[in-house]
Structures are given as C-alpha cells and as structure tokens.
Amino acid sequence: MSKPKKKEKGPKEKYSFWKKIGRSFKGYFAPLGDAMRYGDWATRLSFLISGFGFFVHHQYQEVIEHEIITDEQGHPDSVAIKRRVHVVQWLRGVFFLLIEVLAILAIIFWGVPNFPKLGLNNLTPAGTLENGGCEINFETGELDCVKGDNAFLVVLNSVMAILVIVAFFFIHIASIKSVYRNEENIAEGKHINSAKDDMGSLINDHFYMTVLALPILGILVFTVVPTIMMILIAFTNYGAKDAGGATVTIDAFKWEGFNLWSSLFNLNSSSFLVVFGQQLIWTLVWAFFATFTCFFGGLLLALLLNSKRTKFPKVWRTGFVITIAVPQFVSLMLVRYFLADNGIVNNLLSQWGWTQAAQASGFISTPYFPFLSDPTWTKVTVIIVNCWVGFPYLMLMISGILMNIPADLYESARIDGASKARMFRSITMPYILQVCTPYLISSFVSNINNFNVIYLLTSDGVTQNQDYINVSAKESDLLITWLYNMIAGGAKHEYYMASIVGIMMFTISTIFTLVTFTQSTKGNRERRMQ
C-alpha cells in the first residue's frame, strides 16, 4: 500500500501551549503509524526485532573503482572499472539489535527479580544463624546461607532497569523510523549508505556523536542515577528510628512517603524546620558575600595592577597568585590553627594587649578573640578568609578583560569630555560584567555548595543550641556541610533527612540558575553594549 503524498503547508497558525504539545506528540509518533500501515513486512517486523529491516532492505549501486594495470611496454596506467555492489545496512541493524539484546538482559537480571520486591514490604531478611547466617545441610554436607534481600539494591536495580527500558523505548522508536525511511529511500531510488559509509560518517560528519556518547553515558550512570536514588531515599525511613528504637539500616528500610516529611516540617515539634530555615538564610547570605567580595576584591586589584602608576606590577601579581599555587586544603587548615582560641593570632593579640583591651571594653567576653568558636564571629571570619582565598582568580580574569578592551573607546570618550568615573561606568564595567556574569552566576551556585571553606575552617566547632544538636548541625554550617554531618559527621546517619536537604538544595540551585541565566541573556545585552 503506497503512502499518500503530504499536503502542502499553509500559512503558519498560532496555537496555544497545549495544542503545541499535542502537535509535537502527534508529530513524534505519526511516523510509527505510517511505518505499520505503509511499510513492508520487514519494516513491520522491526517493531518486534529492532533494526530487522536493515538486514532485509538492500540496494544495488554502481561504483567506479580505479585499478592500476601495465601496458605492453610495462608502463603503469590507471583504469576506471564500473562495478555493481550489493548494499545492505547491516551495521545499523547490528547496532539496534545489540541495544535490544542488552535491554532484554537488563530486564531479566535487574527488572524481573526486583520489580516484585519494589514495594519493600515482603523482603527476605538476612540470615541470623551461626557462621554469618549459614548452616550445614546434613543431607548434602554443604553450607546453606540465608543472604536475604538488600532494600537498597532492590531499589537501585529497579531504577537501572526502568532507565534502560525508557532509553530503549526511544531508541527503538528511532530504529523504526530509520528503517522506514531507509525503505522509502530505496523505493525512490535514493542513495543509501553502506556499512563503510556509516563508519566514515561516525569518524567525520558525526564525530561529535562518537565522542560525546561515552560522556553522556557517564552522566547517566554517575549523575542521573545517584540523583534519582537520593530523591527516592528521601521517601524512605533509611537512617530513622524504628519502633524498637534501632536505626534502620541500608538493607531493611521501607517506603514512608511524605510521613517523615510532614514530621520534619512540623512547626510545633520539629527542630529540623527551625534549623533548615536558619541554615538556608545563612547559606544564601554566605553565597552572596563569598561571590561579590571576591568579585570586587579581584576588580580592585586588577584595576590597581593595570594602572600605569603601579610600579613592579609583575611582582605584585606573583605575590597574589601564590594563594592559587598553594593547595586550598593546606591554606585553610593552617588558617584554622592560626585563628583557633589558643592559636598564634590570639597569642600575639594577647601579647600586644589587644585582647585585654577588647575584653575590658566589653567587645568580647572571653580571654581570646572567638574567631572560630562564636557563631557570629565564625560567619564573618569565613567570609573574610574566603575573600583572601578566592580573589586572585577574579583578579586574573578581570585583568585579561581589561587588557582586551579597545583603547580607541577610551580615546573617543576623552575627546567627548567624559570623566574617568563616567568611562568606568560606561565602558569598563559593561565589558567586565558581560564576560563575568555567567561566571558570577555559576560561582554563586557553587558557593551554595562550597564544602571546603566552611568544613575545613569550622569542623572543630560545637554548638550549645539544642535544636541544632537534635539534627546534627552547627550555626556555621551551610546546607552542604549539614548534609555531610547528618551522614558521616555524627552517630545518627539520618540518610532520609540528608536526602530531603539534598532535594531542597537541588531545587534552590536549579531555580536560581535558570532565572538568573534567563535574565542575564534577555534582550540581547551584548549587542546593546556594542
């Protein structure tokens, strides 16, 4: 049955959002209906056996090959010989068939054994017999072991199987469309690629697909799967206390839905909600100051180093860049010991009489400056230390921008009578912001998740606030360090709570990134600036 010709497209019509979604959905699946209705038996069988049509559909092509022959005098000569070649796209068929086989194996080994257990209600408990859950079978003389089901592996294997099924669904649709397109091309006498042509295409025209395939697979395995697992763990009781007061382990957790969420966000009885609100505010305040103190500090230093009045700029620049050369881990650990209550800084301040004067004036209530022991002092200290660690990066970046601003812009501004302040506002800052805005956005998000500075400087700190103690937190913690403390920093190991915090962090970072990037590129600001 031949396929009817497509109707010519008329003038574009305006559609609502949902109509556009519907048309896109229809356009995506419509070729499948055409393939089933108008395709031959091999194309229809490709619905069951992925890529089957590639092994059946073929085409005879005439190719010209050049051969070297010798004439009667023994001189070599090139002769063009026309050959008839039978072309079958077997490489594509093998690829799609292999994908289907791998998907079936994943369903057999991951899905079938674990899907029935995904409810986590009737799992076989691990053996409690002697010898690690094993006993001797006196009939066979062998050791029988009761391994039991691991709830985490059940969920993980199920997630992997579902992802494979979803991926195969879209790949299988692509294979059916490709088979039907191949059939149409052969019927219309169009040239189709041989296996050799396909290999050449992967190396030349579609080399990006060849190179990006492995990184994409890595992102799926090492980023997407852990993220999904984190979200799922947030709806279990993994790490919570059961009815007997014991901590629920990784192999025995159950689904709790939103029950634990409602208990954590209970205004009347939960320390979690109080601490989460305070930690969220402190995290955003930290991210703001950590980003913009480094930016303006780097801007100031870059302007000074690029000034014609500054002597020996290379020497100054080298001194600032040393903070980049020294590992941040080493720098922050040394700073923590320097600023400790009995550290070298407090000892020097005490010897110089500053500590006694501050104590006498009521500025401090302790015989030392509580740089890292008082919550308020700690927050100010980590912002200042982070500025010292981070401004050299911005200094180098902004220095490069300043050196690439066209000098004729400043010359034209001087001729028009613009002051230095006006030139800075109208020329220098727009260029700097145009380049640095994406960096500032990503820096703000990374500072929300800045684990190193906060943890390395404040890991020795303690809190007297009972709300913070209940949820394994300190006043100086960011959400990311609080998450770490809930998992590895204390004795509770409340994984479900850490997953909830992780989801909230992911949501906040995603919303902020999408909104700021959209606003920063809105209105084609680069062209307006130019």
Side-chain angles (χ1 to χ4, degrees):
M1 184 176 181
S2 61
K3 180 181 177 181
K5 294 182 179 180
K6 295 181 180 179
K7 296 181 180 180
E8 295 183 0
K9 294 182 179 179
K12 292 184 178 180
E13 302 177 8
K14 293 184 178 180
Y15 296 96
S16 65
F17 173 77
W18 292 111
K19 285 186 177 180
K20 289 181 179 179
I21 295 295
R23 287 174 62 86
S24 300
F25 186 83
K26 180 181 178 181
Y28 182 77
F29 288 100
L32 299 182
D34 293 340
M36 178 59 72
R37 186 176 180 183
Y38 304 113
D40 59 11
W41 67 273
T43 299
R44 294 174 182 176
L45 191 57
S46 298
F47 280 82
L48 181 62
I49 304 175
S50 187
F52 180 81
F54 288 117
F55 296 106
V56 177
H57 298 151
H58 62 277
Q59 184 182 65
Y60 288 98
Q61 299 176 0
E62 291 185 350
V63 297
I64 298 176
E65 298 179 353
H66 294 274
E67 291 188 1
I68 304 298
I69 62 174
T70 56
D71 55 16
E72 296 178 355
Q73 289 76 25
H75 299 297
D77 190 15
S78 177
V79 177
I81 300 176
K82 185 180 292 186
R83 297 184 184 276
R84 188 175 175 84
V85 180
H86 182 227
V87 177
V88 178
Q89 294 183 315
W90 61 267
L91 185 61
R92 299 188 184 190
V94 169
F95 172 76
F96 287 115
L97 183 59
L98 181 61
I99 294 294
E100 183 174 22
V101 171
L102 293 176
I104 292 173
L105 292 176
I107 294 172
I108 292 174
F109 291 102
W110 289 341
V112 173
N114 293 287
F115 284 160
K117 304 175 183 178
L118 195 53
L120 304 181
N121 294 321
N122 299 313
L123 299 182
T124 303
T128 57
L129 305 174
E130 297 180 359
N131 301 319
C134 301
E135 65 179 359
I136 297 177
N137 188 326
F138 292 101
E139 295 181 0
T140 62
E142 297 179 352
L143 198 64
D144 293 337
C145 298
V146 182
K147 295 181 180 179
D149 294 318
N150 188 309
F152 186 85
L153 291 180
V154 169
V155 176
L156 177 61
N157 291 335
S158 299
V159 168
M160 295 290 288
I162 292 173
L163 289 178
V164 169
I165 293 172
V166 172
F168 173 70
F169 174 77
F170 290 102
I171 293 175
H172 188 55
I173 290 177
S175 73
I176 297 172
K177 292 180 179 180
S178 183
V179 167
Y180 182 55
R181 192 182 309 115
N182 180 53
E183 180 191 346
E184 286 185 321
N185 290 336
I186 293 174
E188 295 172 3
K190 296 181 180 179
H191 175 83
I192 64 172
N193 290 338
S194 63
K196 183 179 179 180
D197 295 333
D198 287 336
M199 289 295 295
S201 177
L202 291 176
I203 298 175
N204 297 309
D205 298 338
H206 298 90
F207 183 69
Y208 65 93
M209 296 176 60
T210 306
V211 175
L212 293 177
L214 188 59
I216 290 296
L217 181 62
I219 290 173
L220 290 175
V221 174
F222 299 109
T223 301
V224 176
V225 172
T227 302
I228 294 175
M229 287 299 298
M230 178 193 71
I231 295 173
L232 294 177
I233 291 297
F235 297 94
T236 69
N237 61 348
Y238 179 24
K241 300 292 184 181
D242 59 14
T247 301
V248 178
T249 59
I250 190 172
D251 58 344
F253 60 78
K254 305 292 183 183
W255 296 112
E256 290 290 338
F258 285 98
N259 294 333
L260 293 177
W261 285 64
S262 60
S263 63
L264 289 176
F265 287 94
N266 190 330
L267 289 172
N268 299 322
S269 61
S270 175
S271 299
F272 176 87
L273 185 59
V274 175
V275 174
F276 178 80
Q278 295 174 357
Q279 297 301 84
L280 176 60
I281 294 174
W282 161 232
T283 299
L284 296 177
V285 170
W286 149 262
F288 175 83
F289 281 102
T291 300
F292 289 99
T293 53
C294 290
F295 173 73
F296 287 109
L299 174 62
L300 177 61
L301 290 178
L303 292 173
L304 291 174
L305 292 175
N306 283 273
S307 174
K308 295 180 180 180
R309 297 183 180 181
T310 302
K311 304 297 182 181
F312 311 111
K314 293 183 179 180
V315 176
W316 293 104
R317 188 178 291 110
T318 302
F320 292 128
V321 173
I322 289 177
T323 57
I324 300 176
V326 178
Q328 191 180 85
F329 177 86
V330 176
S331 301
L332 295 175
M333 291 292 288
L334 287 175
V335 170
R336 186 177 75 180
Y337 291 126
F338 286 165
L339 299 180
D341 295 343
N342 57 349
I344 185 173
V345 174
N346 269 309
N347 287 332
L348 290 174
L349 293 176
S350 179
Q351 292 177 12
W352 296 338
W354 291 19
T355 304
Q356 294 81 355
Q359 191 174 11
S361 63
F363 185 68
I364 58 175
S365 59
T366 54
Y368 51 81
F369 283 90
F371 295 110
L372 298 176
S373 55
D374 179 81
T376 303
W377 279 75
T378 300
K379 293 177 180 180
V380 176
T381 301
V382 295
I383 291 175
I384 296 174
V385 172
N386 180 75
C387 182
W388 166 70
V389 172
F391 73 80
Y393 295 95
L394 273 300
M395 178 196 71
L396 294 177
M397 180 186 296
I398 296 174
S399 294
I401 298 171
L402 294 175
M403 287 187 286
N404 284 280
I405 297 178
D408 56 351
L409 292 178
Y410 292 106
E411 188 64 28
S412 300
R414 291 191 193 94
I415 294 174
D416 292 339
S419 63
K420 291 184 178 181
R422 179 60 185 272
M423 286 189 288
F424 178 78
R425 293 197 311 269
S426 301
I427 299 175
T428 306
M429 278 304 294
Y431 263 91
I432 294 174
L433 291 176
Q434 184 63 39
V435 178
C436 289
T437 296
Y439 173 81
L440 292 175
I441 295 172
S442 61
S443 179
F444 184 90
V445 175
S446 64
N447 279 320
I448 291 177
N449 301 315
N450 193 331
F451 180 84
N452 288 347
V453 175
I454 299 297
Y455 182 78
L456 293 176
L457 288 176
T458 67
S459 58
D460 291 338
V462 294
T463 179
Q464 304 300 324
N465 190 317
Q466 190 59 43
D467 286 332
Y468 283 85
I469 295 174
N470 292 339
V471 292
S472 305
K474 303 189 299 292
E475 288 87 348
S476 59
D477 278 335
L478 302 181
L479 292 176
I480 185 66
T481 55
W482 180 27
L483 186 152
Y484 173 81
N485 290 333
M486 283 188 286
I487 295 176
K492 294 183 178 181
H493 304 299
E494 295 166 322
Y495 292 92
Y496 76 98
M497 189 186 298
S499 297
I500 293 174
V501 174
I503 293 173
M504 303 301 292
M505 290 174 57
F506 174 77
T507 304
I508 293 169
S509 300
T510 302
I511 293 174
F512 174 81
T513 303
L514 292 176
V515 171
T516 51
F517 265 115
T518 302
Q519 293 299 317
S520 64
T521 58
K522 190 175 182 180
N524 203 349
R525 296 183 180 182
E526 182 178 0
R527 180 173 296 179
R528 276 208 319 268
M529 184 193 72
Q530 294 175 348

